[in-house]
């Protein structure tokens, strides 16, 4: 009877371990930062960050609390992700339209220094965003 109990206890411990391992995400975000935007116009750039490309995670930009100085208020902002290239023109990794939420650039698949720039404002000239989160 003791052998059966030990086998059952071992099986339960193994099941508990498998259950614990399965809740761990396959890829953890490599990095992130939080900030805000105050009176940006087309051409303004974010701070830069280093992406080791150690994970296959997306690069995303989140806006919350968006305002524009135009009469129609904030509708959207055009954002372009750039890879900083020393001694050469920076490389565009795509443009997305942010409607005051998340935009996803996918996995840039390239280690390096990145930043984003405002390319378009839907209404007016300037935007302000209370909360900005960039994750990669």
């Amino acid at each position: 009877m003791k052998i059966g109990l030990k086998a059952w206890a071992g099986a339960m411990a193994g099941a508990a371990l498998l259950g614990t391992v399965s809740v761990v995400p396959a890829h953890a975000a490599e990095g992130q930062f939080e900030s805000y935007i105050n009176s940006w116009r087309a051409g303004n750039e974010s701070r830069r960050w280093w992406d080791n490309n150690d994970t296959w995670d997306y690069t995303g930009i989140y806006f919350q609390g968006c305002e524009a100085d135009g009469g129609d208020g904030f509708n959207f902002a055009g954002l372009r992700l750039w890879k900083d290239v020393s001694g050469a023109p920076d490389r565009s990794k795509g443009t997305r339209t942010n409607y005051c939420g998340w935009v996803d650039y996918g996995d840039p698949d390239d280690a390096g220094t990145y930043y984003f720039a405002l390319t378009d404002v839907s209404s007016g000239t300037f935007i302000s965003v209370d909360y900005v989160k960039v994750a990669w």
Side-chain angles (χ1 to χ4, degrees):
M1 185 81 167
K2 288 184 180 179
I3 293 172
L5 184 57
K6 283 182 182 178
W8 180 81
M12 294 309 292
L17 178 61
L18 285 175
T20 302
V21 171
S22 67
V23 259
V24 176
H27 305 290
E30 185 176 321
Q32 70 176 35
F33 69 86
E34 298 172 354
S35 190
Y36 64 93
I37 291 173
N38 190 15
S39 298
W40 267 25
R41 66 173 141 197
N44 283 119
E45 300 175 354
S46 72
R47 66 169 259 203
R48 283 155 165 69
W49 66 90
W50 177 262
D51 184 345
N52 285 321
N53 199 38
D54 287 341
T55 65
W56 294 274
D57 288 327
Y58 64 89
T59 294
I61 302 168
Y62 176 72
F63 282 2
Q64 180 180 317
C66 306
E67 295 179 12
D69 67 335
D72 291 338
F74 184 94
N75 294 314
F76 66 83
L79 303 176
R80 178 167 289 154
L81 181 65
W82 290 97
K83 179 180 180 196
D84 189 345
V85 180
S86 291
D90 292 348
R91 191 170 338 146
S92 173
K93 292 295 190 168
T95 301
R96 303 288 187 272
T97 303
N98 191 315
Y99 296 96
C100 204
W102 272 107
V103 291
D104 180 2
Y105 291 88
D107 177 13
D109 199 28
D110 197 8
T113 300
Y114 288 86
Y115 64 95
F116 69 90
L118 181 65
T119 61
D120 189 23
V121 177
S122 63
S123 176
T125 306
F126 297 96
I127 67 165
S128 294
V129 181
D130 293 336
Y131 178 74
V132 177
K133 180 176 183 176
V134 179
W136 62 94

